[in-house]
Amino acid sequence: MAEPGTAKNDRKTTHADEPAGPSRRVRRARRRLLPPPAWWPLPACAVLGLAAGGAYGVLKAPEYAATSYVVAVPDETTEPATALGFAQAYARIATSASTLAYAQPRAGIPARQLRTRVRAETSPESPMIAITGTSGKASEAADIANAVADALSLSSNQAAKNTGVRLLLFNQAVAPAEPASPSATVSAAVGLCAGGLIGGLVLLTRPRGRRRDGSAPAVEAAPVQVTGVTSLPGPAHGGAAEAAAAAAVKEKEPVR
């Protein structure tokens, strides 16, 4: 029989050898941790796109756009088709250096800066030219559009006797009440859609066949079936096996 004191000492030694309580909890927590799901890039990219789009809409300064319209009118001796052709030509020179030089005093901004804030558009079915001015201020955008429209009309009408077509101001631009740039809500929605699209592309392009722990699954080799070979008996009977093999080869040889 073991003495009582010896049993107590053994029990104390056993408890001392066991790991402490916090370390066992940490091990259990590590075992319970699971890798993220396979579709995690989709929500992650969508959230990033939403944040980026919202930040862009909030930080970007609003931009206003105002449009002025001029129309090409033929005289009595000119056909309407000619006016349509000249409208296309005048739309191309609306942003030229000579036209912007006429418009610069009224627009109140340098000609180099004016070139980046105005655009001209026309339709192949109508002799009307739309001149749009853009600026961070609503009133300045309207002034830019009206200045370029007036300059284009004056420069083109100087040659009206030779072309038979005049440009008349159809509608002046007015200061817009709302900016033309998208709001923060629209920018956030666009960013969300773009982020979701990128996340979907990531899911489609990344390699598949991974386990939840990230390791590749084991690939089992498919059994190889060999056709056209006759099974031969084992080497129990030496002469008989060789004869059977020779007969099998002769049966598979093509007849010439």
Side-chain angles (χ1 to χ4, degrees):
M1 293 180 62
E3 296 181 359
T6 306
K8 290 181 179 180
N9 293 334
D10 296 341
R11 192 177 303 171
K12 291 180 180 180
T13 304
T14 304
H15 286 292
D17 295 340
E18 292 181 355
S23 60
R24 284 184 294 177
R25 293 177 182 176
V26 171
R27 291 181 180 179
R28 292 177 182 177
R30 290 178 179 176
R31 293 176 181 176
R32 292 178 182 177
L33 291 177
L34 296 176
W39 45 267
W40 70 266
L42 182 61
C45 293
V47 172
L48 290 177
L50 177 64
Y56 176 81
V58 172
L59 299 178
K60 181 177 174 56
E63 188 177 61
Y64 295 88
T67 305
S68 180
Y69 296 92
V70 293
V71 61
V73 180
D75 58 12
E76 298 178 355
T77 60
T78 306
E79 297 181 357
T82 305
L84 182 60
F86 273 101
Q88 302 290 332
Y90 287 138
R92 294 187 180 92
I93 66 173
T95 57
S96 63
S98 58
T99 305
L100 296 180
Y102 280 110
Q104 189 271 332
R106 181 178 176 182
I109 59 176
R112 182 177 299 178
Q113 188 177 1
L114 181 61
R115 184 186 300 273
T116 61
R117 294 190 178 184
V118 66
R119 65 178 184 271
E121 299 174 350
T122 186
S123 172
E125 300 178 356
S126 174
M128 187 172 293
I129 304 172
I131 300 174
T132 304
T134 59
S135 176
K137 300 178 181 179
S139 59
E140 189 176 45
D143 293 339
I144 291 173
N146 292 328
V148 175
D150 291 341
L152 182 63
S153 300
L154 291 175
S155 61
S156 62
N157 291 338
Q158 292 177 356
K161 294 181 180 180
N162 299 326
T163 60
V165 177
R166 298 182 58 191
L167 286 183
L168 300 178
L169 184 62
F170 185 79
N171 187 18
Q172 285 189 342
V174 295
E178 297 181 357
S181 57
S183 60
T185 304
V186 176
S187 299
V190 173
L192 176 64
C193 296
L197 179 60
I198 295 174
L201 293 177
V202 171
L203 291 178
L204 293 176
T205 56
R206 73 174 186 176
R208 297 184 179 181
R210 294 285 179 179
R211 295 179 178 176
R212 294 184 64 87
D213 57 355
S215 61
V219 180
E220 296 182 359
V224 180
Q225 297 181 357
V226 181
T227 58
V229 179
T230 306
S231 59
L232 302 177
H237 306 84
E242 295 177 359
V249 172
K250 289 181 179 180
E251 290 180 359
K252 296 300 179 181
E253 290 180 356
V255 178
R256 298 180 182 178

